[in-house]
Amino acid sequence: QVQLVESGGGLAQAGGSVTLSCAISATIGSPVAMGWYRQAPGKEREVVARISASGALTDYGDSAKGRFTITRNNAKNRLYLQITSLKPEDTAVYYCNLGRGSSMSTLPGDFWGQGTQVTVSA
């Protein structure tokens, strides 16, 4: 059974930065594409960033361009999301997701983490 465990969230001040981490708890064979999504109170879940299996390709949701960076370490089975210049509107639960294959087009897949809360104060 694959489990995704996010960490790194918490309370942060506007203008600061935070790095989220997602650990994959089981061996999944070949790496697959992964992504970060977020859900703010009263809003639908939205894509934040996606990364291909190799890490060579990335793309970002419109709200994440410029301040968000997605990276991965396949040797450690970890996915990361760095957010800089935090804004109150970044407040949300952030989830990582495992794709069904190597391409970002396979996202979102069936496996989600439990989420990590990021709260940004003005």
Side-chain angles (χ1 to χ4, degrees):
Q1 181 70 19
V2 175
Q3 286 189 314
L4 305 177
V5 180
E6 301 95 336
S7 61
L11 181 62
Q13 289 190 333
S17 63
V18 65
T19 298
L20 308 181
S21 178
C22 174
I24 308 169
S25 66
T27 301
I28 56 173
S30 299
V32 295
M34 296 191 71
W36 285 99
Y37 297 75
R38 70 182 182 183
Q39 188 166 19
K43 295 186 177 181
E44 293 187 354
R45 191 172 298 187
E46 64 173 351
V47 61
V48 175
R50 305 185 302 173
I51 189 166
S52 62
S54 68
L57 299 175
T58 60
D59 65 14
Y60 296 87
D62 288 340
S63 62
K65 292 178 180 177
R67 298 186 295 113
F68 291 64
T69 304
I70 186 171
T71 57
R72 66 188 297 163
N73 185 326
N74 287 339
K76 294 184 177 180
N77 278 349
R78 290 218 176 224
L79 178 72
Y80 303 97
L81 182 70
Q82 182 183 42
I83 312 172
T84 60
S85 301
L86 283 163
K87 301 178 180 180
E89 50 262 46
D90 294 325
T91 295
V93 179
Y94 286 74
Y95 300 90
C96 63
N97 179 265
L98 205 64
R100 298 183 182 91
S102 61
S103 169
M104 292 185 290
S105 65
T106 66
L107 289 159
D110 298 323
F111 294 103
W112 294 89
Q114 83 290 346
T116 186
Q117 175 73 48
V118 174
T119 302
V120 182
S121 61

